[in-house]
Amino acid sequence: TRAPTFIEHPDVIGLYENYLLVHGNEKGIIWVDLQKAQERVLIQSLTAHQLECRSQVLLLPIPVNLSKQDQLALKEKEKLVQNLGFSIEMSGKDQFLISAVPSCLDASDASQGLLLVLTQDDPIPTMAAFAVRGKKRFMLQEALALWHQVKESPDRSVLTTTGPHEIKNFFR
């Protein structure tokens, strides 16, 4: 077996909790909020018109009870629900079985994720935030992939900079 290849990234300072620290040359240190970055990337992939979200088929379907209001919302949003990666079928009067979920969700979050889609006017940002909220640690390669996808983002909730002057002030 071959040893894994480690790609050097001289601009990367390191990982701190859910932040990637990158040397920003004269800008100072760029802080990348990896959870916000992952959320942004997920929103972009979920809202791409031609892209359907990947599904993960469940070994055992998850039963969920839907109110009449939720059932009406399911009818209205059926195409969106399918495009996001859910597969749902009726199994009783108010009971449905979820047999597949979006690959960005854990199976344990299937019911709550479905209800978010059914009850929100704009469910994609809410579902993206819900999907990434539990991410505890990022591996370096995962963090680097996110960095390359968001490094041009003007959104200060994803990227922020600590300039040389601010860094010097830390030590005064």
Side-chain angles (χ1 to χ4, degrees):
T1 62
R2 290 178 44 189
T5 305
F6 182 74
I7 302 169
E8 287 190 42
H9 297 277
D11 293 341
V12 172
I13 297 169
L15 288 169
Y16 174 72
E17 294 188 6
N18 286 328
Y19 299 93
L20 177 68
L21 283 69
V22 181
H23 185 267
N25 298 324
E26 68 279 347
K27 295 179 186 175
I29 298 173
I30 300 170
W31 294 74
V32 183
D33 184 328
L34 295 170
Q35 285 187 315
K36 290 285 186 185
Q38 188 176 36
E39 185 178 324
R40 170 151 323 254
V41 168
L42 186 54
I43 289 170
Q44 290 170 345
S45 72
L46 292 174
T47 56
H49 298 295
Q50 71 279 9
L51 184 67
E52 290 185 3
C53 189
R54 294 184 188 163
S55 286
Q56 52 183 339
V57 178
L58 303 174
L59 184 60
L60 297 172
I62 298 170
V64 60
N65 289 322
L66 296 179
S67 68
K68 296 293 181 203
Q69 186 176 356
D70 291 338
Q71 290 178 40
L72 286 173
L74 179 60
K75 261 189 178 168
E76 291 172 8
K77 297 181 178 185
E78 184 176 5
K79 183 74 172 160
L80 172 65
V81 168
Q82 289 174 350
N83 285 347
L84 288 175
F86 286 100
S87 180
I88 303 158
E89 56 190 59
M90 187 176 231
S91 70
K93 182 179 176 191
D94 294 329
Q95 187 159 38
F96 291 76
L97 293 175
I98 302 172
S99 57
V101 296
S103 59
C104 61
L105 284 182
D106 288 333
S108 61
D109 294 331
S111 299
Q112 196 171 354
L114 175 63
L115 289 174
L116 283 174
V117 173
L118 297 179
T119 59
Q120 299 292 313
D121 290 332
D122 188 13
I124 291 176
T126 305
M127 194 171 105
F130 176 71
V132 302
R133 89 215 169 300
K135 183 76 173 169
K136 299 288 187 229
R137 297 191 139 248
F138 289 85
M139 302 300 292
L140 182 59
Q141 294 294 32
E142 183 181 20
L144 291 171
L146 287 169
W147 161 243
H148 287 291
Q149 292 177 359
V150 300
K151 65 183 172 184
E152 303 301 323
S153 174
D155 186 350
R156 291 196 43 88
S157 72
V158 175
L159 303 175
T160 193
T161 305
T162 304
H165 181 70
E166 294 167 296
I167 294 171
K168 286 178 187 173
N169 285 337
F170 288 146
F171 299 99
R172 290 189 181 176

